[in-house]
Amino acid sequence: MPQYTPTYRIPYVSMYDPYYDLPATDKAMATRVEAILASLSVDPAPLVAFRVVPSATARDAAFGTPQTATTQRALQDRGPVVVRLDTGTVERYYAAYHSTNNPGGADTAGWYALNAARRTIAVTYAAGYDSSGTPGQAYITVANGMVHFEGGFTKLSGNFDSTYVTVGTYPAEFAPARRRYLAGMGAAGRAGGLQFNTNGQIVVSFNVGGTPWVGGAHSWPLSS
């Protein structure tokens, strides 16, 4: 005969119970715990799935290929993770990005390696500046809780000077929580600095010797 805990009356097996009572006691214990959790309004845990699969075909057979935004988000919320034996990668499913409804989503819904960038966003250049200089197009990537900036800004007329100027912007949702600075590079070995403001603005914050372009690379934690 099972014993019971004093507070919530959860049954458990005693050392004197016959072995054939074990299945019934286990079921009674599980049922009682579930009833207690329900009475406390504890949300059901999502079904987190982990699989080791030999191929993408096997992965899709296990998890399906959702076609609508609703079913894609439902699969993302399950948090499925697969180990691909054919590629040696670990993948997770993400639904499509939405700034309000799914800020943790990807450019397009699908499976992504955990170390792969999920979003790549081109920086919008301010009037009078472009990507024609050596550093090339400025962009940010967002992956695994990190934001990474790379690229540069070229002044279309003349050189940068000591004046602070806003040279570009990107979505403020990926901006750092506090202002960050990058000691970048300029033409002919000259130094140049970039400032990343909390509103998504990128500012050339200093320049030594005058240079038509300033660029570099910098990273910060998402929501830091």
Side-chain angles (χ1 to χ4, degrees), residues 2-126:
Q3 303 298 306
Y4 295 89
T5 58
T7 303
Y8 288 105
R9 300 289 295 168
I10 299 174
Y12 63 91
V13 177
S14 74
M15 62 182 297
Y16 303 108
D17 288 336
Y19 70 90
Y20 49 78
D21 283 348
L22 291 179
T25 302
D26 283 349
K27 179 180 180 180
M29 179 171 59
T31 301
R32 180 59 181 155
V33 170
E34 186 165 283
I36 293 170
L37 293 175
S39 70
L40 296 174
S41 299
V42 177
D43 292 333
L47 178 59
V48 179
F50 175 84
R51 297 285 182 92
V52 178
V53 296
S55 65
T57 300
R59 177 200 64 202
D60 293 343
F63 294 101
T65 53
Q67 301 299 313
T68 68
T70 299
T71 56
Q72 289 167 352
R73 181 58 189 271
L75 181 55
Q76 174 186 293
D77 290 347
R78 288 180 59 192
V81 174
V82 300
V83 176
R84 289 274 300 277
L85 296 180
D86 55 338
T87 60
T89 57
V90 179
E91 299 177 343
R92 183 175 175 182
Y93 186 88
Y94 294 92
Y97 165 85
H98 188 282
S99 60
T100 302
N101 299 329
N102 194 22
D107 286 333
T108 57
W111 293 89
Y112 290 83
L114 291 184
N115 62 348
R118 297 202 307 272
R119 276 187 61 71
T120 301
I121 303 163
V123 169
T124 300
Y125 285 83

Side-chain angles (χ1 to χ4, degrees), residues 207-221:
N207 175 258
V208 178
T211 174
W213 57 261
V214 175
H218 188 45
S219 298
W220 59 87

